[in-house]
Amino acid sequence: MAAADRRPPVDVVVVDDHPLFTRGLSLLLPGLSEGRVRVVATTEDASAAAAMVQRHHADVAIVDLHMPPPGGTRAIAAIRRADPMVRVVALSGLAEADAAIEALQAGASGFLPKTADPEALVRPLLAVLDGWSVLPEALLRQLLSDAAPTGEQGVVDRLTADERRLWRLIADGTSTVDIATTLHVSERTTKRLVAHLLRRLEVTTRVEAAALAGRVGLGAAEPVPHTGGRVR
């Protein structure tokens, strides 16, 4: 007997309110996986999902996100609370970034488009059981793109550590003299550095720079010793 045949089967519960889809999975997954995957129960009721998973000691739950209340996302959270060892794969008719993020935050280990045929689900299901997370490549690229810094928030990451330090000093209302003392440079050099930073921030005044610092959540600067210098 092959080694693969000696492995215990993967017991799956399908939570979906489309009977034809769940019946198709139930009939096709065992054969496509050569007996490795079997559907032990299905339910159209999202509120019953957690109890069903526990009752059948399922290894994996396949959950449609777009179900009547309480909905698929809450069903995922309930399943994970009831049995943190159960792996969950969320399904959606659309590759929606927001829906995928909500599902993953609720505890799903993977997100797949519901248009995937049963054969395409077998390998992701086994990967999830082995501890992997699965996402369609196009959706993963979209999530990474959406997470990239843009606009005002991204300006912090484009600055050097010294520029961020100067920005914090400006945001705190520190005078030119005190900035020069803190940075150990001349007042002339300080004015040049400030002018350069304002151009980098695409603002024209220190007040605008301070307001931008507040909007992006730039941390406060370290306390500056009082030198008696005038604000310039």
Side-chain angles (χ1 to χ4, degrees):
M1 183 179 292
D5 295 333
R6 293 197 298 268
R7 291 180 297 177
V10 177
D11 288 340
V12 175
V13 165
V14 180
V15 184
D16 193 297
D17 60 337
H18 295 87
L20 290 178
F21 181 79
T22 56
R23 180 171 174 78
L25 287 182
S26 300
L27 293 175
L28 295 175
L29 283 181
L32 292 172
S33 64
E34 298 181 350
R36 181 82 169 97
V37 178
R38 62 185 184 186
V39 177
V40 295
T42 66
T43 180
E44 300 177 14
D45 183 2
S47 65
M52 180 169 288
V53 166
Q54 281 191 305
R55 183 163 61 251
H56 291 275
H57 305 288
D59 302 297
V60 177
I62 300 176
V63 182
D64 180 12
L65 293 180
H66 300 291
M67 297 182 67
T73 301
R74 290 190 176 182
I76 292 171
I79 291 170
R80 294 287 292 164
R81 286 195 301 269
D83 189 344
M85 299 302 295
V86 174
R87 310 286 284 177
V88 180
V89 175
L91 296 183
S92 173
L94 300 172
E96 308 158 298
D98 290 344
I101 291 173
E102 288 183 3
L104 295 173
Q105 289 175 337
S109 301
F111 177 93
L112 296 172
K114 199 173 180 180
T115 53
D117 57 71
E119 184 174 4
L121 287 175
V122 174
R123 291 181 65 185
L125 286 178
L126 297 179
V128 164
L129 194 65
D130 289 335
W132 294 91
S133 293
V134 292
L135 289 172
E137 181 179 359
L139 179 59
L140 176 60
R141 292 186 181 278
Q142 180 183 347
L143 292 174
L144 292 174
S145 175
D146 291 344
T150 57
E152 290 185 349
Q153 195 61 46
V155 71
V156 179
D157 297 320
R158 294 195 296 268
L159 300 179
T160 66
D162 288 340
E163 287 171 332
R164 289 195 294 270
R165 185 185 185 194
L166 175 59
W167 191 9
R168 291 186 182 98
L169 291 169
I170 292 172
D172 286 347
T174 310
S175 70
T176 299
V177 173
D178 286 344
I179 291 176
T181 301
T182 302
L183 301 182
H184 305 291
V185 297
S186 68
E187 292 183 41
R188 181 177 180 180
T189 298
T190 298
K191 292 177 181 179
R192 179 175 57 80
L193 292 174
V194 169
H196 175 73
L197 178 62
L198 295 182
R199 288 194 297 271
R200 292 269 282 159
L201 297 177
E202 298 182 355
V203 298
T204 56
T205 68
R206 292 188 178 201
V207 173
E208 292 176 359
L212 178 58
R215 290 198 297 272
V216 301
L218 189 73
E222 295 179 359
V224 178
H226 178 67
T227 63
R230 293 182 295 109
V231 177
R232 301 188 180 185

